[in-house]
Amino acid sequence: MDLKLKGKRALVTGSTAGIGFAAAKRLAEEGAIVVVNGRTEQRVKSAVAEIQKQHLGASVSGVAADVSNAAGCAKLVGNVPDVDILVNNMGIFEPKPFEKIPDEDWMRFFEANVMSGVRLSRHYLPGMRERNYGRILFISSESAVQIPAEMIHYGMTKTAQVAVARGIAETVAGTGITVNSLLVGPTRSEGVETFIAQLGAQSGMDAATFEREFFKSVRPTSLLKRFETVDEVANMIAFLSSELASGTNGAAVRSDGGVVRAIL
C-alpha cells in the first residue's frame, strides 16, 4: 500500500529510541523527509545514522533539542521552521504513589507531555493552513482513558493530550488538515524496559515473570496479553500521518492491544 508520503516533511519528537524511533524509521521507509529529535547530539546522530543504514537513500536529518521546555521547543522550530507532519511523541513517565507526587512533578509532567505538543502545534499549524494540508498527531495512551493508579500524574497528561488534539481539530474543520491522538497500549519501548525493571525489582521477579504478572493483575483487560512492539505502533502512526487517513480527524484512535474494555 502506497501511503503517499514521498516528499512530505515529517518531524517526530523524542525519536532517538522506542516508539518515536520506530515511527521515524517507518516514515522514512515510506519516502518522507524525516527530522529526528532527541535531547543529545550523540543520540540524534546515532538514530539518524541507523535509519540511513537500514534504508539507503532515506532523507533523514536530526535536531538535538529538549522539547520538554519552552527553550527547547524554540530551538527545534528555529532549526525546522515548517513541516507537513508533526508527531508529538516525546513524553515522560514514572511509577510513583499519589501521596508522594509533589507539585513540582505534576507541573514537570504537564510541561513535558502536554505543553511540548501545544507549543509545536501552535508553531506549525499556520503553515499547514496556508498549504491547506497537514497532519498533527499526539501520541497519547490507554492511560488517558484508564488512569493508572501507579502514575496518576502521567495519566492526567495523556487525557489532556486527547483534549488538546480534539480542540485543535475543531479549529481546522473543513480543511485538509487532520489532528488526532493515538491511544497506545503497554509497549516494549526503552522507557518501558526501565519501568519493568523498576517494578520487577520491587516485587522480586525477573522480566518474563513480571510481564506475565503485569497482564494478569495490572492490565488484565489486554487482549494481546503481551507488550506491543514499537513497530506495531509505528505502523498506525505512519497511516494516520498519510494522505490515506484523510477521513480520520479529531479522533482518539486506539492501538492499545484491546486494553480499553469498550466498543467505542
Side-chain angles (χ1 to χ4, degrees):
M1 181 183 292
D2 181 8
L3 297 181
K4 303 184 185 302
L5 284 167
K6 290 180 181 178
K8 299 295 185 185
R9 296 162 297 178
L11 166 62
V12 184
T13 64
S15 48
T16 58
I19 291 172
F21 177 75
K25 183 173 63 173
R26 187 73 177 85
L27 292 170
E29 181 183 355
E30 290 291 330
I33 302 167
V34 178
V35 178
V36 168
N37 160 253
R39 287 178 295 176
T40 69
E41 193 71 39
Q42 181 179 359
R43 295 203 64 174
V44 168
K45 286 182 177 180
S46 177
V48 169
E50 182 61 27
I51 294 174
Q52 291 175 331
K53 177 181 177 181
Q54 293 186 30
H55 302 288
L56 298 178
S59 180
V60 190
S61 60
V63 177
D66 183 359
V67 296
S68 68
N69 58 68
C73 288
K75 178 182 178 182
L76 180 56
V77 301
N79 283 273
V80 187
D82 203 12
V83 297
D84 300 301
I85 299 163
L86 170 63
V87 181
N88 291 308
N89 170 74
M90 192 284 300
I92 60 174
F93 71 96
E94 65 173 350
K96 183 175 289 188
F98 173 73
E99 296 92 334
K100 296 184 179 180
I101 306 173
D103 288 1
E104 293 76 13
D105 280 3
W106 284 94
M107 298 307 296
R108 178 168 60 90
F109 268 68
F110 191 82
E111 179 86 357
N113 293 358
V114 182
M115 290 307 299
S116 58
V118 167
R119 290 173 177 131
L120 296 176
S121 300
R122 185 171 57 204
H123 173 83
Y124 291 117
L125 190 57
M128 294 179 180
R129 287 187 186 276
E130 289 180 10
R131 294 185 299 276
N132 195 36
Y133 181 85
R135 298 285 183 266
I136 297 176
L137 184 60
F138 287 77
I139 307 305
S140 183
S141 164
E142 52 90 10
S143 295
V145 181
Q146 301 179 148
I147 306 296
E150 70 273 11
M151 45 184 181
I152 297 172
H153 52 336
Y154 169 78
M156 173 273 299
T157 64
K158 297 289 109 176
T159 306
Q161 285 182 313
V162 175
V164 170
R166 176 67 197 196
I168 299 173
E170 294 283 353
T171 73
V172 297
T175 73
I177 304 166
T178 67
V179 188
N180 296 292
S181 54
L182 183 62
L183 305 187
V184 179
T187 305
R188 188 174 287 281
S189 63
E190 184 179 65
V192 168
E193 292 286 0
T194 302
F195 175 75
I196 292 172
Q198 288 177 345
L199 293 188
Q202 292 174 14
S203 56
M205 302 179 188
D206 60 30
T209 303
F210 175 80
E211 182 171 0
R212 290 194 297 270
E213 184 60 30
F214 181 84
F215 286 100
K216 179 180 178 181
S217 59
V218 182
R219 295 291 187 276
T221 56
S222 170
L223 300 180
L224 283 183
K225 297 302 181 185
R226 62 168 173 80
F227 288 103
E228 291 179 82
T229 69
V230 293
D231 288 332
E232 286 173 327
V233 178
N235 288 334
M236 183 61 78
I237 292 173
F239 173 72
L240 292 173
S241 299
S242 76
E243 290 190 20
L244 276 60
S246 57
T248 304
N249 198 8
V253 179
R254 287 168 52 187
S255 180
D256 65 336
V259 169
V260 178
R261 198 173 189 182
I263 60 173
L264 295 176

